[in-house]
């Protein structure tokens, strides 16, 4: 993007809008940026009024493919192959997405306005007028991963508990929280308390996405491809995206964009840790038996009982099927010694076999997860809970039993 670029006010021919409207001209293409409020009927009206003028030949929106699908196909998440979700290690991400969706639904129920109404208006109007629709935001899963990796490991528990607490709270959402959503989306509002005080969170949540959206515009709507592009994005992203779009962007925006999509791979130490723990536990058993048979069997029995009870107890907390509870009790001590398969995977697999979700579970999933009790009543979300809680129970059992073995041998 080496063409001359200037910042100019919105064309006078366009109707007045409730939100800020700026135009960045690069070469012979005009990018009109509309800053919207995500919980506002006025912003949706602004989008409809601008596109009704016929002045634009393309529409770009602050959505990724996943969020676009969630907006246009609200039941798509519930129709995923749950077994593949667990197999691919995506259970945590799906649970987080459901939790965020629950928060969004609660806002809609209390305010009477569905968050993202302006994005829906842009999608529907673009389809109606057959305009190209450009999705320019970064994948929400990638953003969540980069947020997670941006903070030290000891702060992640507080971050995750804060996320779950904010989206699963049964308290009525305050007017202040709804006002925050007028400047940001659900994802940003959820982390706003943390991001305001943390540069490490602000960068992947806000600053990187500003840059990413400018790069996506340079990639999907470079100067000359379209004459006038309407860019619909939250007011909180307007200034940053505008600054990046007004400055020279790289000739190959895809290369930089890919760096903003990358997530740090697990460290070699972290990947090796489960194998190291397994080796130490087995070595502990061997050492115990070498001292005397009674000690060896004591260590083995404690390992099985602690792992089995904590993992099975966790599935009981998830209201799993009795067969799932029993299977988890026997599987957890073995899976804890085999890092290639987890207790949560076994537990979820048995739960799916015993209680396969029905059509109505998928149909009511989005509504059920707006209530804390609904997570246990719906078979889809309950299976996710079985997986997550069994995994946590097994991890706790591994460490507790491991310390018990060390204490018995060297204490």
């Amino acid at each position: 993007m080496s063409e001359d670029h200037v910042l100019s006010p919105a064309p006078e021919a366009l109707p007045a809008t409730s939100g800020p409207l700026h135009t960045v001209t690069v070469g012979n293409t005009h990018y009109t940026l509309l800053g919207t409020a995500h919980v506002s009927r006025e912003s949706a009206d602004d989008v409809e009024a601008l596109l009704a003028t016929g002045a634009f030949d393309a529409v770009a929106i602050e959505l990724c493919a996943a969020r676009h699908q969630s907006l246009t196909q609200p039941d798509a998440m519930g129709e995923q192959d749950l077994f593949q979700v667990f197999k691919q290690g995506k259970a945590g991400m799906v649970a987080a997405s459901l939790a965020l969706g629950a928060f969004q639904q609660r806002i809609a129920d209390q305010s009477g306005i569905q968050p993202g109404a302006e994005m829906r208006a842009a999608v529907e109007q673009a389809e109606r007028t057959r305009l190209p629709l450009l999705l320019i935001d970064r994948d929400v899963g990638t953003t969540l991963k980069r947020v997670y990796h941006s903070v030290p490991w000891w702060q992640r528990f507080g971050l995750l508990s804060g996320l779950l607490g904010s989206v699963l709270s049964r308290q009525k959402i305050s007017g202040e929280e709804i006002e925050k959503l007028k400047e940001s989306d659900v994802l940003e509002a959820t982390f706003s308390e943390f991001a305001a005080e943390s540069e490490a969170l602000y960068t992947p949540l806000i600053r990187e996405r500003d840059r990413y959206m400018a790069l996506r515009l340079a990639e999907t709507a470079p100067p000359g491809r379209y004459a006038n592009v309407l860019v619909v994005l939250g007011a909180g992203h307007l200034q940053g995206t505008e600054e990046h779009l007004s400055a020279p962007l790289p000739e190959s925006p895809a290369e930089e964009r890919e760096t903003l999509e990358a997530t740090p791979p697990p460290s070699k130490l972290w990947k090796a840790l489960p194998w190291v723990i397994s080796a130490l536990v087995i070595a502990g058993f061997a050492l115990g038996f070498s001292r005397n048979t009674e000690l060896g069997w004591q260590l083995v029995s404690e390992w099985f009982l602690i792992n089995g009870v904590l993992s099975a107890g966790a599935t009981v907390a998830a209201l799993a099927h009795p067969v799932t509870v029993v299977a988890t009790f026997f599987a957890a001590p073995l899976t804890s010694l085999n890092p290639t398969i987890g207790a949560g995977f076994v537990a979820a697999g048995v739960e799916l076999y015993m209680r396969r979700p029905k059509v109505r579970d998928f149909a009511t999933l989005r509504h059920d997860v707006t209530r804390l009790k609904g997570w246990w009543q719906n078979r889809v979300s309950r299976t996710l809970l079985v997986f997550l809680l069994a995994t946590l129970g097994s991890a706790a059992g591994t460490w507790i039993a491991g310390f018990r073995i060390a204490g018995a041998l060297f204490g």
Side-chain angles (χ1 to χ4, degrees), residues 130 173 195 248 284 301 344 361:
R130 298 184 179 181
I173 296 172
S301 62
D361 292 304

Side-chain angles (χ1 to χ4, degrees), residues 17-19 34 36-37 39-49 113 117-118 182:
T17 57
S18 62
L34 172 65
T36 67
V39 184
S40 168
R41 182 61 245 176
E42 289 80 5
S43 286
D45 292 339
D46 288 344
V47 172
E48 292 175 354
I113 303 169
E118 84 285 17
K182 292 184 177 182

Side-chain angles (χ1 to χ4, degrees), residues 135-151:
L135 307 179
I136 61 172
D137 199 6
R138 184 170 61 190
D139 179 76
V140 63
T142 300
T143 295
L144 282 171
K145 288 178 182 177
R146 288 180 71 95
V147 166
Y148 180 78
H149 286 288
S150 69
V151 298

Side-chain angles (χ1 to χ4, degrees), residues 228-246:
N228 295 285
V229 181
L230 177 63
V231 184
V232 183
L233 73 173
H237 288 284
L238 180 63
Q239 181 179 350
T241 304
E242 181 181 290
E243 289 175 355
H244 289 300
L245 197 60
S246 301

Side-chain angles (χ1 to χ4, degrees), residues 97 202 239 257 310 342 389:
S97 298
Y202 185 84
Q239 181 179 350
R257 186 255 304 163
L310 287 179
L389 292 180

Side-chain angles (χ1 to χ4, degrees), residues 186-322:
V186 172
L187 182 63
E188 293 163 30
T190 302
F191 289 110
S192 61
E193 179 182 346
F194 303 95
E197 302 173 359
S198 172
E199 178 67 21
L201 283 179
Y202 185 84
T203 294
L205 198 59
I206 310 294
R207 188 174 291 120
E208 285 185 359
R209 289 172 63 204
D210 292 345
R211 180 67 175 175
Y212 187 92
M213 287 190 280
L215 291 168
R216 283 292 291 161
L217 282 170
E219 189 177 0
T220 60
R225 179 171 296 178
Y226 304 108
N228 295 285
V229 181
L230 177 63
V231 184
V232 183
L233 73 173
H237 288 284
L238 180 63
Q239 181 179 350
T241 304
E242 181 181 290
E243 289 175 355
H244 289 300
L245 197 60
S246 301
L249 287 168
E251 293 291 338
S252 300
E255 293 182 9
E256 183 179 345
R257 186 255 304 163
E258 289 172 359
T259 66
L260 293 176
E261 292 175 338
T263 53
S267 67
K268 292 182 180 179
L269 177 61
W270 188 254
K271 291 176 68 175
L273 185 59
W275 294 98
V276 172
I277 292 174
S278 297
L280 289 174
V281 171
I282 294 172
F285 293 158
L287 182 57
F289 278 107
S290 70
R291 292 184 180 178
N292 65 75
T293 304
E294 183 180 349
L295 176 60
W297 283 117
Q298 176 190 332
L299 299 180
V300 171
S301 62
E302 287 190 359
W303 172 265
F304 270 76
L305 283 173
I306 293 172
N307 259 279
V309 169
L310 287 179
S311 296
T315 62
V316 170
L319 301 183
H321 191 280

